[in-house]
Each structure stands twice: as structure tokens, then as C-alpha cells.
């Protein structure tokens, strides 16, 4: 062999020692190499220095023989020690063969490689920073090494490298970020721990602004936050907490929009810690960035709304999600309804969703607009706040989906309805473009099990029905307040127009809705349709819904329009039930106190028109018609109606309603009526009407109640009808009201005749079915 010649200037004894299996002999050879290199440094003989390093690298460190590789590693470390400060000139040649040995199958050799690199880095110090990426890459692999000695050695090297980075101001962060972004997605626990430790170090260095590159690593950090190791989760929590503190200190330099989608995704994580942390970040982002977050509002709502229905096991997440929801809602302002459409179409970005890519150039351009856009909303002027337009379509789509989803929790449904109400208040003009698509689901929500949901739903529907913006839309024929309901929506007979359009009374039966828009009448039609198709809803929630609507809207308009619609309802049984419900509400609800007072006196043309409209529909139920006459103090007409009861089919239901009317007469609502019994002379028809009811009743508790009341009437002998020269004040009031009571009485007879025919048809149908069963 030509070993001595090939490996000169290394002496043959040195070469033999480097190849020896004993560590002590290799160490002696390393000392000889160190001495040799020092001589070359003194002579400034760079060529010989490079030659020695090349021999140690090619012939030893990269050799196939394990002992030769070990000798090469210790020899390279000796060269670095001998070179001292000058080692920076040869770092590439010194480091590369050592890093290659990091992948060796022999754990002892990996340990020696780690030891050699430690000595090289310790001598070079800051000079190794240009090679930081390859060192970091190698260390990240050793951090997950199964051998404890290798791992221990890598930790020593890791601490040394961190010290060098901390004390240096020449760290190349831009060049390092791509490697960090790649390594952060490692699933190995030790590698994750290594990554987090480095992030914490870099974050603590004043001269290194890692915040600028947070969008590159934030997703990976949240992935690590879900690690099975408590220690790693805690380290990641600390790192994320430090970043959030920095964000709060310097919000103007934060790229909020580039991280918004990342948070949206992790706010929907199955892991509670990830979800809570992401939700806390989202809360701070909305409060700090303001309208910069608006383009991501649909994604934010997708993540936040379901959390509002969490139980106490996830109470913290629920509370933070609620703050997010409230803060986001406050970003919607009335000016959003006035943005120029042309400008908006040019500047509006595509609405991001949780399924889209995280790195979007559009999002980046929105999110990083300088200090003005990233500062809190309170610091910006109105024009600046509107730089980011509201993407209403995306928000409405998310809200609509949550309402349609039967699995949506109660608190989430309430939040959705609050959002819709808020949007109709702040941006009514734009919201009315979505009303036709939202209207059906809002009506269906009235069947919800929760009273709170129904209340919020009614608030939204009431706002739709009363908003001036709804009147500006070009109503379709079915939306118009003058339009009549189609047979699909309500069962209206073909001859309905003959009932309500003959003479001036046709005008009286049209709903007078000066404060309502074109959706009001449509709402009333569809509400009655819903009651008709869902009798349980009418039975259990009908009164509750109508009473709340009377608080939210004009009660007179509601009763006027419903009476007008029911007048043309061909399902007579439903019409009778609905009239009974409305009458009970009218007579008993505190919300309708003013309307009752208005009807009690009939002083104005409006009140008389309302009475006529109600009367025509109330005729579907004879007893409610009498109660309406009692309420309006039309006692003579009430007496005339009771006289007609002898021609009606008296059923158990009929007598039950008379029984209920007697109970009502004893209630505070009819106190004035009972006091009028003291004035026998001026109220003879009232007493006659009450006696008429008494004669209708069987010997029941209601009979006894009314009988005892009538026994209290003073001077029974004066119960004669006054002559024409002594008309009572009530009769004068009725005469002055210009109401054609004879025509109303004829209308009552016609309606009741239709009810009689309908009952006979139903009875005949049931009898026919029974006959068929008998034949079978």
C-alpha cells in the first residue's frame, strides 16, 4: 500500500492510530493532528490545512470502516481546535462529513459525531450561523434519536447553538423560516419538543422579530398543541401565549388576515385545548383588528356559533365564543348598507371558508394594510373603517344553514336569530335581498320547542314586516299588501271576492297597515297557513305567538289583516278555531288593553271599520261574535244574535263556549259591563242578552253563576224596552256610528249556514266511511 504517501502530511503512526479500535489511541492521534495543524496555521499554509481536512473527511469520516469513521471525527474536531478563530474559513469542509455521520446506523458513531460537532461549533461560535440550517436539520434528527447517550449529546450541542444565536445579531431568520415551517409538522414528540424550544428561544431574542413570520408556523403550533405529552402541550401553550402578548403590544405590525383562516380551522378542533386556545386568539384578533376580520366573518361564525350551545363541560370555550360572537356583531355598522355597489364589487375579496387553503394572497393583501387598518376600531375614522366591505352573502348563508340544521343547539339558534335581527337593523336594504330565501325557514322556526327561540324569531319577522326598507323592494304580486292569498297558501274559495268586495265594505276589510311594508300581509297569510297545517302549534303556541306580535307590531294591523284573511278561508273549522283563539287573546291579554279601549267606544271611523272587519270574520264562531258585541257595547245587536241562536245547531262545543263566555263576563275585563247592569233603564238589551245566554245554558255551574249575577240587577220591573222618545245613550251611539247592523246580521246568518252545510258534509262523509266498514 501507498498509505504513507497517499495520506501525507499525516505520519504513518497517526494514520494507524486513527484506524485503531481503541479510543485512547485515536485520541493520541488527534493530539498529533492538532499539533500539525497549529504548525500550518503558524506558517499560514492554507493548502496543507485543506489537504489535512480533506484526508480526514474522505479517507476516514466517510470511510466504510467504522473505526476509521470514528478516527476521522475526532481528527476533524482536533483540526477545528487547532484552527481556533480561523476555523470559520473551513467550516463547510469540517461540518459536512460530521453531519453525514449523524445518519450512521451505529449509535456510538452518532454520539462521536455529535461530540465532534460540539467541539467544532464551540470553537467557531458565531461563524457557524451561515451554516445554521444544516446544523438545525441535523440536530432535529438527533433530538428524536432512540439512544439516550446520543440524545444527551445532542442536547448539549443544542444548548450551545442556542447560546450562540441568542448572543448574535446576525441570525438569518428569513432563510431559517422555510426549514422551521417544514420541521414543525413532525409527529415525533422529541422533534416537536426540540422545535418548540427553538421557537421560544427565537421569540426571546430582542433583535429577532419572529412575529412577522408567525403566519408561517401558527398552524404547526396548533398541531403540536394537540400532542399526547403534557409537557409538550405546556411548552406549546407558553409559546403561543408569548406570541399573543407580543400581538397585543404591537397590533399594527401583525398580519391578522393571513392567520384568520388558521384560527377558523382550529376553532373547530375536536381537542378542547386547541379549540379554547384558538378561540381566545380569535377573540383578540376581532377586538384588535376590527373590520380587517370581516372578510372572514362567515368562517368565524361557522366555528363560533356551534360553541354557544356547549354544556358546562366546555364552559370556558362557550364563554370565549360568546365574546367572539358579540365582538364580530359590533363590527357591522349602518354604513355597510350604504357602500357604493360598484366599488364593493371591485374591492370585495372572495369569502374564505375553513376548507380553503391557508395561504391566500387576497387575504394577505387585506390583512396587512399598515397601522391604520390593524389598529383597534375605535381609533379609525368612518371612511377608514369601511375599507373592508361586509360580505353579507356569506354570513347569511352560514346563518341559514344553522337554522336548517335540526341538530343545532338552542343557544346557537338564538344567536343566529340575533344576528339576523342585527343585520336587518344595521343593513336592511341589503338584507331584504335575502328575505325571500330566509322567510320560509323563519316561519318554520316558529314551531321550535324553545320559547326563547320563538321570541327571537318573532323579533326578526316583525322587523321584516315593519322595516321601511321592505317597502322599497318591488313587491311581487304575492308580496303586495293588496294581493289576495292564493289557494296554495290559504284555502280561499272562488267566491271570496263576492264576500268582501261588495260596496264600500270591501275597503273596510282590507288591512290598514300604514307602518307595515309589503311583507307584513305575506307574513300574516303564511302565519295562518302554518297554524292551519300545524294545529298543535296553534293549540300550544298560537296565543303566545300572536300576543308577542302585538307587542312587536301594531295590534290593530295584526287583527285587521288576520280577520281579512280568515274571511276568505274555506276551511271553516279552522276559521272558527282561529277566530276563537283571536277573540280570547283580544279579551284577555294585557298587551291588547289599548285595542280593547279603542273598540269599547267605537268613537273613530277607524275603530268602527275595525269592528266591522272583525265582526265579519268573528261570524265563523257565534259565541265569539256575541262577546265582540259585548266588548263594543253593541248590546242590542248581541241580543239580536242570541235570538238567532235558536236556529243554529246547538252542540256540546257550542254550549262549552257559552259557558266560557259566562266565565269571562265575571272577569275584570268586563267590569264596565257588570256596572252597566245597575243602569237598567239605559241597558235593557244587555240584560235581555244575558238572560238569553242563561236560557241557552243547561242547569250547570255557569247557569248558576249567571243566574246569581242577574238576581243582583235592581228593579226587575224596569227591564222594559225604552220607547222611541227615550232612546238610551248606547242606542244613540250605535245609531251615530253609521254601522248597518241589519246587514251584519244577514252576514252572520250566511256564514253560519255555510258552517251548517260543512258539518253535514263531514257527517255524511263519516257515515259513508262507517257503512263501508260494516260492508267489509
Amino acid at each position: 500500500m501507498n498509505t504513507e504517501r497517499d495520506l501525507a502530511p499525516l505520519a504513518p503512526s497517526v494514520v494507524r492510530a486513527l484506524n485503531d479500535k481503541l479510543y485512547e489511541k485515536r485520541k493520541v492521534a488527534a493530539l498529533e493532528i492538532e499539533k500539525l495543524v497549529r504548525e500550518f496555521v503558524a506558517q499560514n499554509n492554507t493548502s496543507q490545512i485543506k489537504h489535512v481536512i480533506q484526508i480526514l473527511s474522505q479517507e476516514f469520516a466517510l470511510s466504510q470502516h467504522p473505526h476509521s469513521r470514528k478516527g476521522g471525527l475526532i481528527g476533524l474536531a482536533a483540526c477545528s481546535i487547532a484552527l481556533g478563530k480561523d476555523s470559520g474559513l473551513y467550516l463547510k469542509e469540517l461540518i459536512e462529513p460530521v453531519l453525514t455521520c449523524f445518519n450512521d446506523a451505529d449509535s456510538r458513531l452518532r454520539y462521536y459525531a455529535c461530540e465532534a460537532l460540539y467541539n467544532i461549533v464551540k470553537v467557531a461560535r458565531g461563524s457557524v450561523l451561515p451554516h445554521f440550517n444544516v446544523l438545525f436539520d441535523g440536530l432535529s434528527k438527533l433530538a428524536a434519536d432512540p439512544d439516550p447517550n446520543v440524545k444527551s449529546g445532542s442536547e448539549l450541542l443544542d444548548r450551545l447553538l442556542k447560546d450562540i444565536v441568542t448572543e448574535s445579531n446576525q441570525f438569518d431568520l428569513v432563510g431559517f423560516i422555510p426549514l422551521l415551517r417544514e420541521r414543525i409538522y413532525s409527529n415525533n414528540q422529541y422533534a416537536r419538543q426540540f422545535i418548540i424550544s427553538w421557537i421560544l428561544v427565537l421569540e426571546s431574542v430582542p433583535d429577532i422579530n419572529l412575529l412577522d413570520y408567525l403566519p408561517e408556523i401558527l398552524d404547526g403550533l396548533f398541531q403540536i398543541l394537540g400532542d399526547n405529552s403534557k409537557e409538550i402541550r405546556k411548552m406549546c401553550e407558553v409559546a403561543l401565549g408569548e406570541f399573543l402578548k407580543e400581538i397585543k403590544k404591537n397590533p399594527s405590525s401583525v398580519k391578522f388576515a393571513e392567520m384568520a383562516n388558521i384560527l377558523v380551522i382550529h376553532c373547530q378542533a375536536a381537542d378542547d385545548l386547541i379549540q379554547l386556545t384558538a378561540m381566545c386568539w380569535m377573540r383578540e384578533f376581532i377586538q384588535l383588528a376590527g373590520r380587517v376580520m370581516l372578510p372572514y366573518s362567515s368562517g368565524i361564525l361557522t366555528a363560533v356559533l356551534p360553541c354557544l350551545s356547549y354544556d358546562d363541560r366546555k364552559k370556558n370555550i362557550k364563554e370565549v365564543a360568546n365574546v367572539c360572537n358579540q365582538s364580530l356583531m359590533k363590527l357591522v355598522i349602518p354604513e355597510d348598507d350604504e357602500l357604493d355597489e360598484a366599488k364593493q364589487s371591485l374591492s370585495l375579496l372572495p369569502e374564505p371558508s375553513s376548507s380553503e387553503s391557508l395561504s391566500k394572497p387576497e387575504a394577505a393583501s387585506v390583512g396587512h394594510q399598515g397601522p391604520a387598518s390593524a389598529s383597534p376600531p375605535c381609533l379609525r375614522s368612518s371612511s377608514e373603517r369601511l375599507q373592508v366591505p361586509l360580505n353579507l352573502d356569506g354570513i347569511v348563508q352560514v346563518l341559514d344553514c344553522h337554522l336548517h340544521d335540526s341538530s343545532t343547539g338552542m343557544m346557537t339558534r338564538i344567536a343566529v336569530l340575533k344576528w339576523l335581527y342585527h343585520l336587518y337593523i344595521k343593513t336592511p336594504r341589503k338584507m331584504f335581498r335575502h328575505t325571500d330565501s330566509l322567510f320560509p325557514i323563519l316561519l318554520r322556526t316558529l314551531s321550535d320547542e324553545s320559547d326563547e327561540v320563538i321570541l327571537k324569531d318573532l323579533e326578526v319577522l316583525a322587523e321584516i314586516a315593519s322595516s321601511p326598507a321592505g317597502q322599497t323592494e318591488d313587491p311581487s304580486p304575492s308580496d303586495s299588501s293588496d294581493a289576495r292569498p292564493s289557494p296554495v297558501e290559504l284555502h280561499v274559495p272562488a267566491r271570496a271576492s263576492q264576500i268582501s268586495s261588495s260596496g264600500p265594505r270591501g275597503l273596510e276589510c282590507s288591512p290598514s297597515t300604514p307602518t307595515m311594508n309589503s311583507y307584513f300581509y305575506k307574513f300574516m297569510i303564511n302565519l295562518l297557513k302554518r297554524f292551519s297545517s300545524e294545529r298543535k302549534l296553534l293549540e300550544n303556541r298560537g296565543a303566545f305567538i300572536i300576543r308577542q306580535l302585538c307587542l312587536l307590531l301594531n295590534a290593530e294591523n295584526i287583527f285587521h289583516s288576520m280577520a281579512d284573511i280568515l274571511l276568505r278561508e274555506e276551511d271553516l273549522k279552522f276559521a272558527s278555531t282561529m277566530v276563537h283563539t283571536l277573540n280570547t287573546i283580544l279579551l284577555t291579554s294585557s298587551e291588547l288593553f289599548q285595542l280593547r279601549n279603542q273598540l269599547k267606544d267605537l268613537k273613530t271611523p277607524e275603530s268602527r271599520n275595525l269592528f266591522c272587519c272583525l265582526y265579519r270574520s268573528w261570524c265563523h264562531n257565534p259565541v265569539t261574535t256575541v262577546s265582540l258585541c259585548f266588548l263594543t257595547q253593541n248590546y242590542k245587536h248581541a241580543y239580536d244574535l242570541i235570538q238567532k241562536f235558536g236556529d243554529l245547531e246547538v252542540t256540546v262545543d257550542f254550549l262549552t263556549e257559552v259557558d266560557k263566555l259566562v266565565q269571562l263576563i265575571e272577569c275584570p275585563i268586563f267590569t264596565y259591563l257588570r256596572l252597566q247592569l245597575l243602569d237598567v233603564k239605559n241597558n235593557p238589551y244587555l240584560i235581555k242578552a244575558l238572560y238569553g245566554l242563561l236560557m241557552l245554558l243547561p242547569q250547570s255551574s255557569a247557569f248558576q253563576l249567571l243566574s246569581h249575577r242577574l238576581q243582583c240587577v235592581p228593579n226587575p220591573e224596569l227591564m222594559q224596552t225604552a220607547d222611541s222618545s227615550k232612546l238610551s245613550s248606547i242606542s244613540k251611539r250605535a245609531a251615530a256610528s253609521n254601522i248597518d247592523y241589519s246587514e251584519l246580521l244577514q252576514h252572520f246568518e250566511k256564514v253560519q249556514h255555510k258552517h251548517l252545510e260543512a258539518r253535514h258534509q263531514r257527517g255524511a262523509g263519516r257515515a259513508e266511511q262507517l257503512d263501508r266498514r260494516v260492508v267489509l
Side-chain angles (χ1 to χ4, degrees), residues 25 47 142 172 174 176 179 283 296 328 352 394 428 498 541 702:
K25 290 186 178 182
S47 60
L142 289 186
D172 183 13
V174 177
F176 171 61
L179 179 62
R283 176 189 63 196
Y296 302 88
L328 189 64
Q498 299 173 5
R541 297 283 181 79

Side-chain angles (χ1 to χ4, degrees), residues 401-419:
C401 286
H402 277 87
L403 279 182
H404 276 89
D405 187 356
S406 58
S407 64
T408 302
M410 182 190 74
M411 297 308 297
T412 298
R413 293 198 299 277
I414 291 173
V416 167
L417 293 167
K418 283 182 178 179
W419 258 101

Side-chain angles (χ1 to χ4, degrees), residues 391-613:
N391 186 1
L392 198 62
D393 294 351
I395 295 175
V396 172
Q397 184 179 2
V398 171
L399 299 176
D400 187 53
C401 286
H402 277 87
L403 279 182
H404 276 89
D405 187 356
S406 58
S407 64
T408 302
M410 182 190 74
M411 297 308 297
T412 298
R413 293 198 299 277
I414 291 173
V416 167
L417 293 167
K418 283 182 178 179
W419 258 101
L420 289 172
Y421 181 77
H422 182 74
L423 292 172
Y424 271 109
I425 293 293
K426 298 295 183 182
T427 59
R429 186 174 60 85
K430 291 181 179 179
M431 276 301 293
F432 267 94
R433 300 170 191 168
H434 300 278
T435 299
D436 287 338
S437 62
L438 289 170
F439 207 66
I441 187 60
L442 289 172
L443 285 167
R444 284 202 294 276
T445 306
L446 291 174
S447 302
D448 197 275
E449 296 177 355
S450 166
D451 287 350
E452 291 181 65
V453 173
I454 294 175
L455 279 173
K456 290 300 172 187
D457 191 37
L458 289 172
E459 286 183 16
V460 177
L461 286 165
E463 183 59 30
I464 291 173
S466 60
S467 174
Q471 197 64 55
T472 60
E473 299 292 313
D474 295 330
S476 62
S478 62
D479 295 341
S480 173
S481 59
D482 294 329
R484 294 294 169 245
S486 68
V488 176
E489 291 183 314
L490 279 172
H491 307 293
V492 182
R495 60 183 181 279
S497 58
Q498 299 173 5
I499 299 175
S500 61
S501 60
S502 57
R505 289 185 302 278
L507 295 175
E508 294 172 5
C509 293
S510 299
S512 172
T513 57
T515 61
M516 304 298 119
N517 59 31
S518 54
Y519 280 94
F520 174 78
Y521 201 64
K522 180 180 179 181
F523 176 30
M524 294 297 107
I525 289 172
N526 283 279
L527 179 59
L528 289 176
K529 176 188 174 185
R530 194 131 195 101
F531 285 149
S532 177
S533 60
E534 291 186 40
R535 297 300 170 89
K536 282 290 183 183
L537 176 64
L538 174 60
E539 182 182 333
N540 299 329
R541 297 283 181 79
F544 171 72
I545 289 171
I546 294 170
R547 286 173 59 188
Q548 292 302 319
L549 283 176
C550 289
L551 288 174
L552 295 167
L553 298 169
N554 184 285
E556 179 183 350
N557 290 336
I558 291 171
F559 272 78
H560 207 309
S561 59
M562 284 193 170
D564 180 60
I565 296 164
L566 288 170
L567 186 61
R568 294 178 297 281
E569 172 62 65
E570 69 177 13
D571 184 348
L572 299 180
K573 189 174 182 181
F574 166 69
S576 177
T577 305
M578 194 67 222
V579 163
H580 176 74
T581 302
L582 289 171
N583 186 67
T584 304
I585 295 168
L586 177 64
L587 294 180
T588 61
S589 298
S590 58
E591 295 87 351
L592 296 174
F593 175 77
Q594 291 184 344
L595 186 61
R596 283 196 296 272
N597 281 345
Q598 185 180 344
L599 286 168
K600 190 187 296 183
D601 297 326
L602 297 181
K603 291 180 179 178
T604 63
E606 291 78 15
S607 63
R608 292 192 287 272
N609 284 343
L610 177 61
F611 167 73
C612 289
C613 181

Side-chain angles (χ1 to χ4, degrees), residues 266-282:
H266 293 291
C267 280
Q268 302 172 73
D271 185 281
D272 287 356
L273 180 59
I274 295 177
Q275 190 176 27
L276 176 60
T277 307
M279 201 67 73
C280 290
W281 275 61
M282 184 67 77

Side-chain angles (χ1 to χ4, degrees), residues 11 48 50 91 103 120 134 198 276 282 413 416 436 469 504 512:
Q48 285 288 49
K50 286 182 179 180
L91 275 177
N103 300 316
I120 293 170
V134 292
W198 267 101
L276 176 60
M282 184 67 77
R413 293 198 299 277
V416 167
D436 287 338
S512 172

Side-chain angles (χ1 to χ4, degrees), residues 23 50 54 161 174 301 308 333 487 532 604 634 687 715 763:
Y23 172 74
K50 286 182 179 180
Q54 185 179 6
L161 203 55
V174 177
L301 288 175
L308 301 178
I333 53 178
S532 177
T604 63
N634 285 302
I687 298 171
N715 300 321

Side-chain angles (χ1 to χ4, degrees), residues 8-9 40 45-53:
F40 290 148
N45 192 342
T46 57
S47 60
Q48 285 288 49
I49 295 172
K50 286 182 179 180
H51 187 49
V52 170
I53 294 173

